[in-house]
Amino acid sequence: MSTSPGTSGGTSAALLTDHYELTMLQSAIGSGAAHRRSVFELFPRRLPAGRRYGVVAGVGRALDTIESFRFTATEIDFLREERIVDEATLEFLAGYRFNGDIWGYPEGETYFPYSPLMVVEASFAEAVLLETVMLSIYNHDAAIASAASRMTWAAGDRPCIEMGSRRTHEWAAVASARAAYVAGFTASSNLQACRQYGVPSTGTSAHSFTLLHDTEADAFRAQVQSLGKGTTLLVDTYDIAEAVRLGVEIAGPDLGAVRIDSGDLGVLAERVRAQLDELGAPNTRIVVTSDLDEFAIAGLASAPVDGYGVGTQLVVGSGHPTCGFVYKLVAREDESGTMVGVAKKSKDKISVGGRKYALRRLGPDRVAQAEVIGIGQPVTNDGNDRSLLVPLVRDGYVVGREPLKDARERHLRSRAELPLVARQLSKGDPAIETRFEGFE
């Protein structure tokens, strides 16, 4: 099966990293510090500007990548030929396998500033090598899922279909379809996402199919004959009203749907709905596409639209293509064998030292009140709170893999417990505050 680099069954993920991860390793081996026990954490210092919450995605892909993060003879030969690191480091890399523990927020969970989305406990040598690829996966997938969540919340009960494959890198398209599905999209146009992750796929035709035929009627007849009366006909190649008339004439009142891909979608949907009803096709649905984002979807809330196809704006994170996650060393073993907190203190890039724990503080009404982060010890649960960290890897073995349907269900539950302000699309502060316990 053809898979992207770093996925289970694919090629090694070991070189999906930055050069300096290996030179740091070489220097640490030389100083004798490489095998010190360490804790790294992946977290956001802030949400993207104006966002009220974020969505964790990419966890399953990250776990697949950790399993395939091996330096085979091919990678070792490349590093030797390019003189990236010395022989002692190459010897270490040849036997590399992550043997530590990883805790993290499960996929689909919502997050806020400083949420410890991934806590990696291992030797420095083992943990530092995962930095770049973990950030690559989490920053991309969470950006897509966060945008998708806003879109599906704005859409309400109307389904959203992911169709952005042609607007991004071919493998980013697969990851985007997966992340969107976690955050509530019902299907994707991408067949590799269907094959690799089980994301339902869907699709009918483009304008080129209509243009191929001598008449629009010929194109519609061919599609209905091939795909059945329940198909979706694209009606804006020429004249929308005429196309709708032809569609019902050819397929009858059981025509599944019509798709509008241009123009003032709200106004056109009103006209098409009235026309379909007059033609005796009240059950024919109206699907709209054309550079939709969460704002456009919200603006169509009162229009007689039955579903949305979202492409470009989804796969670019609707203006925020990355989440700004960082991966920082927060604790390490000192010369006496004691674990001590460490943190970066430079201006505007402050980190908080010490191993973190996290819970979602809930009120009596089960509405979220705060993200509470414990430093060095678990947070005190007042009996109405929800722990956020779950085991993902134990002693180097993946223990946190789960079906995507579990992540989808978790996302709906997590999003539903946020205060109403989280639904607002206008710019503002995070929906809940982040509090530290034990912060000095």
Side-chain angles (χ1 to χ4, degrees), residues 359-364 366 369 372 379-386 435 437:
L359 61 74
R360 187 72 41 82
R361 180 136 293 157
L362 306 175
R366 303 297 296 174
Q369 296 179 334
V372 185
V379 180
T380 302
N381 191 323
D382 65 10
N384 194 39
D385 301 328
R386 185 165 63 81
R435 302 175 188 166
E437 285 192 1

Side-chain angles (χ1 to χ4, degrees), residues 228-304:
K229 294 180 179 180
T231 191
T232 299
L233 296 176
L234 181 57
V235 296
D236 71 329
T237 305
Y238 304 117
D239 179 82
I240 292 178
E242 176 62 12
V244 171
R245 185 192 68 77
L246 283 172
V248 176
E249 178 183 299
I250 292 167
D254 295 328
L255 175 61
V258 296
R259 177 163 73 95
I260 307 170
D261 188 49
S262 59
D264 188 325
L265 299 178
V267 171
L268 292 173
E270 293 279 0
R271 292 175 182 172
V272 169
R273 180 74 273 155
Q275 184 181 8
L276 287 169
D277 293 346
E278 290 173 3
L279 292 171
N283 295 321
T284 298
R285 295 170 295 109
I286 298 173
V287 178
V288 296
T289 53
S290 186
D291 289 333
L292 297 176
D293 60 12
E294 62 267 48
F295 303 103
I297 291 171
L300 291 167
S302 62

Side-chain angles (χ1 to χ4, degrees), residues 176-245:
S176 294
R178 183 187 181 281
Y181 188 63
V182 167
F185 273 59
T186 60
S188 169
S189 65
N190 191 286
L191 286 175
Q192 183 64 27
C194 179
R195 180 191 191 191
Q196 191 165 333
Y197 297 117
V199 177
S201 65
T202 189
T204 51
S205 66
H207 291 102
S208 60
F209 180 78
T210 301
L211 296 170
L212 168 69
H213 292 80
D214 293 334
T215 68
E216 192 168 45
D218 289 343
F220 286 178
R221 287 192 192 95
Q223 184 173 328
V224 171
Q225 183 176 358
S226 178
L227 302 180
K229 294 180 179 180
T231 191
T232 299
L233 296 176
L234 181 57
V235 296
D236 71 329
T237 305
Y238 304 117
D239 179 82
I240 292 178
E242 176 62 12
V244 171
R245 185 192 68 77

Side-chain angles (χ1 to χ4, degrees), residues 84-258:
I84 304 297
V85 289
D86 61 21
E87 286 298 323
T89 306
L90 291 176
E91 182 179 354
F92 173 86
L93 294 175
Y96 176 85
R97 179 185 181 281
F98 183 79
N99 292 298
D101 298 330
I102 299 177
W103 293 73
Y105 280 38
E107 196 143 26
E109 184 62 80
T110 54
Y111 74 85
F112 296 90
Y114 287 97
S115 294
L117 305 186
M118 176 181 275
V119 180
V120 182
E121 300 176 308
S123 69
F124 177 87
E126 290 179 72
V128 75
L129 292 179
L130 297 179
E131 175 180 5
T132 299
V133 71
M134 291 299 102
L135 287 173
S136 294
I137 293 170
Y138 272 69
N139 267 312
H140 175 270
D141 289 23
I144 305 305
S146 297
S149 178
R150 286 159 60 90
M151 293 172 186
T152 56
W153 218 349
D157 295 332
R158 299 171 178 178
C160 292
I161 299 169
E162 186 280 319
M163 45 197 305
S165 294
R166 61 191 64 191
R167 298 292 186 259
T168 188
H169 182 277
E170 63 268 28
W171 286 108
V174 180
S176 294
R178 183 187 181 281
Y181 188 63
V182 167
F185 273 59
T186 60
S188 169
S189 65
N190 191 286
L191 286 175
Q192 183 64 27
C194 179
R195 180 191 191 191
Q196 191 165 333
Y197 297 117
V199 177
S201 65
T202 189
T204 51
S205 66
H207 291 102
S208 60
F209 180 78
T210 301
L211 296 170
L212 168 69
H213 292 80
D214 293 334
T215 68
E216 192 168 45
D218 289 343
F220 286 178
R221 287 192 192 95
Q223 184 173 328
V224 171
Q225 183 176 358
S226 178
L227 302 180
K229 294 180 179 180
T231 191
T232 299
L233 296 176
L234 181 57
V235 296
D236 71 329
T237 305
Y238 304 117
D239 179 82
I240 292 178
E242 176 62 12
V244 171
R245 185 192 68 77
L246 283 172
V248 176
E249 178 183 299
I250 292 167
D254 295 328
L255 175 61
V258 296

Side-chain angles (χ1 to χ4, degrees), residues 105 116 356-360 371-374 379 386-389:
Y105 280 38
K356 310 301 188 307
Y357 299 82
L359 61 74
R360 187 72 41 82
E371 192 89 337
V372 185
I373 312 298
V379 180
R386 185 165 63 81
S387 296
L388 295 167
L389 291 169

